[in-house]
Amino acid sequence: PSKQNPADGCSAAVTVAYGFAETIFIYPITPTTPLGEAADQWAVAGKTNCFGVVPKVQQMQSEAGAAGGVHGTLVTGALSTTFTASQGLLLMIPNMYKIAGELLPCVFHVAARSVAGQALAIFGDHSDIMAVRQTGFALLS
């Protein structure tokens, strides 16, 4: 029998993301900061993924840069991913159109969160996800 370990959503998502990615582009944004931190720590420790390689984890200067890094590595044939939420996802929209239009396979791990209006919003809803429906990405929850 397999041993089951309880995990929160971030821990479960980063375990799968790390296991199937060759490159991971991060820009820590709450509530996905633990995903980027865990991936970075595992890579520094030399933890291998399902393919027996240590993924290259690169911290970028913005969410747009993270999406651009993902797009660039996808074009070369790498398996790439990133983590984001809220306004960060909105900054990825231009690259999302390119990735979907070029039919490149990737996963953006999104912790759904309210898009801020006049003030900071930390509420959990799906307004960020609803804002990217038109990009051509398949949305799974």
Side-chain angles (χ1 to χ4, degrees), residues 6-44:
D8 63 1
C10 283
S11 299
V14 74
T15 300
V16 173
Y18 191 89
F20 288 96
E22 295 171 298
T23 58
I24 302 171
F25 291 88
I26 61 174
Y27 181 79
I29 178 174
T30 305
T32 60
T33 302
L35 288 95
E37 288 176 347
D40 194 31
Q41 289 172 358
W42 292 345
V44 168

Side-chain angles (χ1 to χ4, degrees), residues 35-110:
L35 288 95
E37 288 176 347
D40 194 31
Q41 289 172 358
W42 292 345
V44 168
K47 180 178 178 180
T48 59
N49 62 13
C50 296
F51 309 110
V53 299
V54 177
K56 168 74 172 145
V57 179
Q58 181 66 48
Q59 183 170 343
M60 304 302 283
Q61 292 182 347
S62 72
E63 289 89 349
V70 168
H71 181 222
T73 55
L74 292 172
V75 170
T76 66
L79 297 173
S80 191
T81 192
T82 189
F83 315 109
T84 192
S86 195
Q87 270 80 0
L89 182 60
L90 301 185
L91 291 169
M92 295 181 173
I93 289 175
N95 281 295
M96 292 176 75
Y97 274 110
K98 289 289 291 176
I99 291 167
E102 294 168 1
L103 303 177
L104 298 171
C106 76
V107 177
F108 283 11
H109 299 272
V110 180

